[in-house]
Amino acid sequence: MIMARLIDGARLAEQVRAAVAAETASLRATGVTAGLAVVLIGENPASQIYVRSKVRQCKAAGIASYEHRLPATTTEDELLALIAQLNADEAVDGVLVQLPLPPHIDSDRVLDAIDPLKDVDGFHPVNVGRLSIGSGGLIPCTPLGCMMLLDTVVENYRGMKAVVIGKSNIVGKPVAMLLLERECTVTVTHIATRNLPEIVRTADILVVAAGSPGLVRGDWVKPGAVIIDVGINRISTPDGSRIVGDVAFEEMAHAGAVTPVPGGVGPMTIACLLQNTVQAARRRRSLPRAA
Ligand code: GUN
């Protein structure tokens, strides 16, 4: 069987982390330690795992991390006060509030309160706006990781047909903007889209962020298409459980290239968070990018 090319996210993420570590070392030589504040409210198990991983990878890359774990009973005003304090803290270059927040807290108000220059998630309306006009704000980590993975296999995006499945603010919409900026012809599909397989069959580039295990079947995919699978779904198996993507991976032999799950987009997200943090550290101090 001819196999599609595998796009190795674990390896690329390692390269990104190494480049970040080199940058933090050169920043330190000028007396600057890049710092990331991570705020976690409540006990969401998946969020706890993500935050632990973010803090660990910061340390390994030479970024100071400031962890703020607060109880699920924290009020919106208390959280806003903490964000104001982090915005004003010179040691903090990035502020990340782990989502989802408890239902009594208005996420939009919280994200709006983060200084756009420290918004390493790229979720603040100023950064969303900058992305939509292509003018260099902080770019959300998962879409940025998707583009870096695509860059390893796509030479010239101009005129390619890109289909995005999922319209979330975290992945679908920003990745669509990034593909548009590269002059792809972009279609964003979602839960209410009719004839999804038919639209997917037109894609030269397919980015899937639907949260639906094995949604995209082999006969939906045009031969030679490049597929980025953002899905991380835990499914039950006879001997326990395993993580699968939104794409029926074993049916993708005819694709041009595909990201595996795990080991594709997943490792890139935190690597891009580290990259955004050093970028924020440089920009806030008007330091040029290290050579
Ligand atoms: N929860 C799930 N994904 C993300 C992310 O990219 N950033 C934050 N802050 N929370 C998340």
Side-chain angles (χ1 to χ4, degrees), residues 5-7 148-155 157 226 228 257:
R5 180 168 166 193
L6 267 191
I7 307 175
M148 291 168 81
L149 291 165
L150 280 172
D151 285 345
T152 66
V153 292
V154 178
E155 262 170 42
Y157 291 84
V226 177
I228 304 292

Side-chain angles (χ1 to χ4, degrees), residues 189 192-201:
T189 67
T193 296
R194 298 187 189 129
N195 304 326
L196 182 60
E198 207 172 291
I199 295 169
V200 170
R201 264 180 222 119

